[in-house]
Amino acid sequence: RRTYIEMLLDRRNFRLARRQLTQLRDLEGATGLFAEFEARLAAAEGKTSEVRRILQSVTPNLRRLEDRQVESLLGIAELAEDVGDYEYAETMIKTYLRSKPEESLKLARLVALYGDPKRGMQLLREEYAQRPDEAVPLAVEVLRKRRPELGDQIDEAVVQLVEKAIRDDPFNPARVILKAEMLEVLERYHEPIEVYRTLLDRGDLTTHLQAAARNNLAFIYALTGQAPEEALELVNEAIRLIGPLSALLDTRGVVHLALGNGKQAVADMEMAVRVQETPSKYFHLAQAHLLAGNTQEALDAWREATAMGLDEETVSSLEQEDYAKVRQQIEALQTA
C-alpha cells in the first residue's frame, strides 16, 4: 500500500491517494506512516500551513526532550526536507545537534542544498577540516543541483574547495573524479575527458571508481558526438565491472541513441526507469521511443518526465538541442 500511494503521489493522482491514505489510517501500526503520507499529500497539493501542522503534530516537546526522542528528530527533519519545509528541517537538525554536535555535517548539507548558498558553502568549508571526503562530494552535489537556480554564484567557492582537496591529496583518484564531475557541471566538457582518460591509464583505481570513470566518459562522448563506438565499449565494461545499475543503463541508452539504435536504447531506458525514476531518464526514454517509432510510448514517457519536473532549465547545455527537438516532435504528435 505504501508503494501504491507513493506511485499515486508521483503521478499527482491526489484523489485516489487520499482514498488510499484513509484506508491506511485504519491499519494497525500505521500511525507514523499515515502522518508521513498526509504531509506528503498536503505538500503536493500546496497546503503549506497544513504541512507545518502535521510536522508539529509528530514532533516531541522540544523543551522537555528526552534522550530516547533525540534520534526521532532526524526522521522528522528528513520528512520536512522531503515536503519542502526546510525551515522546520533546520530547526529539527539544530535541536538534534545539541545532543550530537559531531553530526554537524547534516546542517551544512541542508543549508547548502536549500538555504543561503554563501552560508552553505561556508559551513562546508568548515566541515572540510574534519571530514574532507564527505564535504567535497557534497559541494559537487550542491553545485549540480543548484546551478540551474543560482547560475555561477557558487562556482568559484566549489572550485576552490575541490582544488584544495586535490592539492592536499593529489594522488587520490576519488577526488580527481570529483574534479571531473565538477567540470562537467561547469560545462567545460573538454577538460573532464582528459581527466577521465588519464585516470583510466592508472592502475590503482578501485573497481567502483574505474566503472564510474568509464561511465562518465562514455556519457560525455555520447552527448558530444565523439567516438560513440568507444563510448559503447566503455559503458559495457563499466556494467561488466559493477552490474547493470540504473545510471549505467541510462548512459548505455544515451550511447545507443547516439548510434541510432532505437530498439536497444528503449530496452536499456525501460530497465533504467524501472530501477530508478528520474525526469532525465524518462526524457531519454521518450527519445528512444521516438527513434524506434513508438509514438504512444514516447508520449507516455514525455508525460512522466514533465510531471516529474523536466523543463528547459533542468536539461544540461549538451542536451538543449535534443530537448527542443523532442518537445517539437511530442507537440506534433499531441496535435495530430
Side-chain angles (χ1 to χ4, degrees):
R1 190 177 296 274
R2 174 177 190 156
T3 301
Y4 185 39
I5 295 174
E6 287 175 344
M7 183 193 74
L8 293 172
L9 290 176
D10 286 342
R11 286 158 174 71
R12 302 186 67 80
N13 190 337
F14 302 144
R15 181 185 59 81
L16 189 52
R18 188 167 293 285
R19 183 186 304 171
Q20 290 294 320
L21 194 56
T22 300
Q23 296 177 26
L24 179 67
R25 179 176 52 191
D26 298 331
L27 295 180
E28 184 179 351
T31 303
L33 192 57
F34 172 78
E36 174 189 336
F37 277 123
E38 190 181 25
R40 294 184 191 281
L41 180 57
E45 293 176 325
K47 300 176 180 177
T48 54
S49 59
E50 179 69 5
V51 169
R52 177 62 67 88
R53 182 196 67 77
I54 296 167
L55 290 171
Q56 290 173 336
S57 73
V58 297
T59 302
N61 187 333
L62 300 183
R63 295 180 179 179
R64 300 177 180 178
L65 192 65
E66 299 177 14
D67 291 344
R68 61 182 178 83
Q69 296 173 316
V70 170
E71 291 298 329
S72 71
L73 299 180
L74 287 182
I76 298 168
E78 182 179 343
L79 177 58
E81 178 184 333
D82 288 346
V83 298
D85 194 337
Y86 306 121
E87 180 183 0
Y88 202 80
E90 184 171 343
T91 298
M92 293 298 99
I93 291 177
K94 284 181 174 178
T95 306
Y96 174 79
L97 293 181
R98 293 173 192 166
S99 301
K100 305 279 187 176
E102 67 276 10
E103 299 286 343
S104 55
L105 185 67
K106 297 183 186 300
L107 179 61
R109 173 192 169 277
L110 184 76
V111 175
L113 282 173
Y114 306 109
D116 178 77
K118 291 184 178 179
R119 178 182 168 225
M121 289 308 303
Q122 177 58 39
L123 290 173
L124 286 179
R125 283 192 291 269
E126 293 171 4
E127 291 295 328
Y128 177 86
Q130 298 298 322
R131 41 184 75 87
D133 291 320
E134 295 177 72
V136 177
L138 183 52
V140 176
E141 179 188 353
V142 170
L143 180 68
R144 180 180 291 108
K145 289 189 175 181
R146 300 198 69 178
R147 201 165 193 260
E149 163 205 352
L150 300 173
D152 62 0
Q153 287 184 41
I154 61 172
D155 287 5
E156 184 178 355
V158 176
V159 169
Q160 289 177 352
L161 192 61
V162 172
E163 293 290 0
K164 174 174 174 52
I166 291 179
R167 286 196 304 273
D168 291 346
D169 191 355
F171 299 106
N172 186 320
R175 296 187 183 185
V176 176
I177 285 183
L178 283 171
K179 178 180 179 178
E181 292 178 353
M182 175 193 71
L183 292 169
E184 289 180 53
V185 179
L186 296 175
E187 301 177 359
R188 291 156 53 179
Y189 297 109
H190 63 287
E191 296 178 63
I193 288 176
E194 292 304 315
V195 173
Y196 287 130
R197 295 192 69 86
T198 300
L199 272 172
L200 289 172
D201 288 337
R202 293 171 52 167
D204 62 341
L205 296 186
T206 65
T207 299
H208 179 79
L209 289 178
Q210 186 179 155
R214 290 179 181 277
N215 177 70
N216 294 354
L217 180 57
F219 194 78
I220 297 175
Y221 274 163
L223 292 184
T224 57
Q226 301 182 54
E229 295 290 350
E230 182 182 349
L232 186 58
E233 293 177 8
L234 285 164
V235 69
N236 278 335
E237 179 62 13
I239 291 173
R240 188 193 68 79
L241 288 169
I242 61 174
L245 304 183
S246 181
L248 273 60
L249 290 170
D250 179 44
T251 295
R252 192 166 68 180
V254 171
V255 172
H256 280 306
L257 287 172
L259 290 167
N261 301 332
K263 184 177 180 180
Q264 293 93 323
V266 166
D268 278 337
M269 290 314 309
E270 284 186 337
M271 183 61 71
V273 298
R274 193 173 300 136
V275 175
Q276 183 187 41
E277 297 179 329
T278 68
S280 64
K281 288 172 187 171
Y282 272 114
F283 168 55
H284 297 150
L285 180 58
Q287 285 183 281
H289 279 306
L290 287 171
L291 182 59
N294 307 325
T295 55
Q296 185 55 54
E297 290 83 352
L299 288 169
D300 293 341
W302 180 261
R303 184 168 55 251
E304 293 289 351
T306 54
M308 296 179 71
L310 181 78
D311 57 30
E312 191 173 8
E313 293 183 356
T314 62
V315 176
S316 71
S317 62
L318 284 180
E319 295 188 277
Q320 289 289 332
E321 186 176 338
D322 289 336
Y323 174 82
K325 180 180 178 181
V326 171
R327 183 173 64 180
Q328 185 177 24
Q329 290 177 281
I330 292 295
E331 289 173 350
L333 290 173
Q334 290 171 333
T335 57

